[in-house]
Amino acid sequence: MASQLLNGAAVAEEIKRGVAARVKELEPRGIKPGLAAVIVGDDPASKVYVGSKVKTCQSLGLHSEKYELSAQTTTRELLALVEHLNQRDDIDGILVQLPLPKQIETRRILEAVDPAKDVDGFHAINVGRLVRGEESLVACTPAGIIELLDHYQIPIEGSHAVVVGRSDIVGKPMSMLLLHRNATVTICHSRTRNLPEVARQADILVAAIGRAAMITGDFVREGAVVIDVGMNKATTAGEINRIFPDSDLPKRMEDLGKRGYTLVGDVEPRTVAERASWLTPVPGGVGPLTIAMLMKNTLRAAEMRRG
Ligand code: NDP
């Protein structure tokens, strides 16, 4: 039986509507939550991400500012900007788009952001709070995945969740959130032995790897829920034919013709859709949720900080 799609885009719209409504409620009190997005260098993908974050702020009634710094920016210069944004009362969230150029000490920058304004949830204080199960600003992508599972009433408690990927921004916080919801969590990575066998034990399988269509049907237990975090590009017709189900091919080939690629996750839909009960599409699954949660975190930061 083919799996059903978890419509992340629709859930993201609902989250954003909630944020916009709350932003309106704060207006009479003279509070307009504000996000400052900082981008260093000319990475085209980063520019697209930051652009859509700023645009989403505007559409929901949040204040936003974009800082575009040259690729030669030093750690000291960036620290000075972060410090300035920390001091400003009208800025509730500070986002430093990663990756930063090599000469910049990323960790120092992330630790310089006021934890109360750390809407990405990357600061050690927020990570520590998350591990302890305390109230904190949580990384947007994993937080969005929990909202998605809850929206579709997919039971987490008691389930076996297998997270493939152990990055600080997705895999680790995802595992913690699932653990706090009483899942039994297995974290896998590049050194995991017999990955397909481990993955097949999952009731909930989260793929956050960064390898196009690596998770095929033989990694998936019949009836499992599969969350595909990956964002990769398929650039050849052969690849597209192998990865996507026939029904999806015309649209994918059209993408290829127009842009030279089509977006593909870490999961291979052609074989996984046969086995999973639920599956997130790429695009339209986890991606939109990440931005929606950034908006929600900015609102939360404003509410917490400004009472
Ligand atoms: P990282 O590169 O930081 O981490 C990748 C993880 O995958 C690592 O833990 C790595 O293991 C593991 N891994 C790599 N190869 C294998 C393998 N062959 N078998 C098992 N594990 C493997 O990536 P991110 O976590 O930042 O991102 C993961 C993916 O999610 C990317 O495609 C990224 O673009 C996407 N992403 C999407 C977002 C969205 O909003 N949709 C947001 C953030 C990321 P090890 O630690 O051993 O090296």
Side-chain angles (χ1 to χ4, degrees):
M1 202 187 74
S3 58
Q4 289 180 274
L5 289 183
L6 291 163
N7 191 342
V11 175
E13 284 308 315
E14 195 177 303
I15 294 168
K16 288 192 286 185
R17 275 197 297 277
V19 170
R22 182 73 186 130
V23 167
K24 258 215 161 78
E25 279 173 22
L26 292 174
E27 227 173 65
R29 293 170 51 193
I31 297 173
K32 192 178 174 86
L35 176 73
V38 182
I39 176 165
V40 186
D42 308 305
D43 179 47
S46 294
K47 284 196 165 173
V48 172
Y49 295 146
V50 168
S52 80
K53 287 167 184 175
V54 168
K55 229 169 72 195
T56 308
C57 277
Q58 287 160 356
S59 73
L60 302 184
L62 287 94
H63 169 74
S64 64
E65 292 176 9
K66 184 160 76 172
Y67 293 84
E68 295 182 279
L69 309 185
S70 89
Q72 283 75 45
T73 304
T74 63
T75 300
R76 236 173 103 177
E77 286 162 343
L78 189 51
L79 281 174
L81 173 60
V82 168
E83 200 37 56
H84 165 72
L85 295 169
N86 281 343
Q87 299 302 329
R88 282 194 29 206
D89 194 45
D90 57 335
I91 292 296
D92 299 287
I94 302 170
L95 174 159
V96 182
Q97 186 66 39
L98 302 181
L100 291 167
K102 277 199 254 342
Q103 78 277 10
I104 293 182
E105 296 165 70
T106 301
R107 192 146 275 171
R108 261 184 87 189
I109 301 297
L110 297 182
E111 296 307 306
V113 173
D114 180 346
K117 299 188 177 189
D118 170 37
V119 282
D120 266 334
F122 294 165
H123 194 288
I125 296 235
N126 285 319
V127 174
R129 285 186 186 140
L130 170 64
V131 171
R132 284 188 177 179
E134 294 169 6
E135 183 78 4
S136 65
L137 290 165
V138 178
C140 301
T141 303
I145 292 169
I146 296 289
E147 296 252 351
L148 184 68
L149 293 172
D150 284 347
H151 178 92
Y152 283 91
Q153 298 180 340
I154 289 165
I156 302 176
E157 179 160 331
S159 70
H160 187 176
V162 175
V163 179
V164 189
R166 55 173 164 182
S167 71
D168 290 340
I169 65 174
V170 189
K172 281 182 204 161
M174 183 78 259
S175 306
M176 270 306 137
L177 289 174
L178 289 163
L179 182 63
H180 292 318
R181 293 289 296 271
N182 297 319
T184 301
V185 182
T186 302
I187 308 174
C188 301
H189 44 77
S190 66
R191 313 291 168 88
T192 297
R193 244 182 278 146
N194 303 327
L195 182 60
E197 197 179 309
V198 179
R200 272 198 303 274
Q201 292 168 23
D203 301 304
I204 300 173
L205 178 62
V206 181
I209 311 160
R211 287 178 189 253
M214 192 189 104
I215 301 294
T216 52
D218 52 321
F219 287 66
V220 177
R221 189 177 60 75
E222 189 82 41
V225 175
V226 179
I227 306 291
D228 188 357
V229 183
M231 285 204 293
N232 316 289
K233 289 177 180 176
T235 54
T236 65
E239 221 182 336
I240 291 173
N241 274 310
R242 179 176 56 79
I243 293 173
F244 296 100
D246 292 348
S247 57
D248 214 7
L249 288 178
K251 157 102 194 38
R252 298 296 180 165
M253 289 301 179
E254 193 189 322
D255 273 359
L256 180 66
K258 272 194 199 149
R259 298 186 295 195
Y261 70 90
T262 188
L263 264 190
V264 53
D266 292 339
V267 171
E268 183 181 83
R270 178 183 276 276
T271 49
V272 170
E274 307 262 294
R275 302 184 62 81
S277 57
W278 293 95
L279 171 64
T280 56
V282 176
V286 173
L289 287 164
T290 300
I291 296 199
M293 292 311 288
L294 177 68
M295 301 299 121
K296 196 167 169 178
N297 273 353
T298 304
L299 170 65
R300 263 190 75 208
E303 290 184 317
M304 292 193 301
R305 205 174 54 83
R306 304 204 228 176

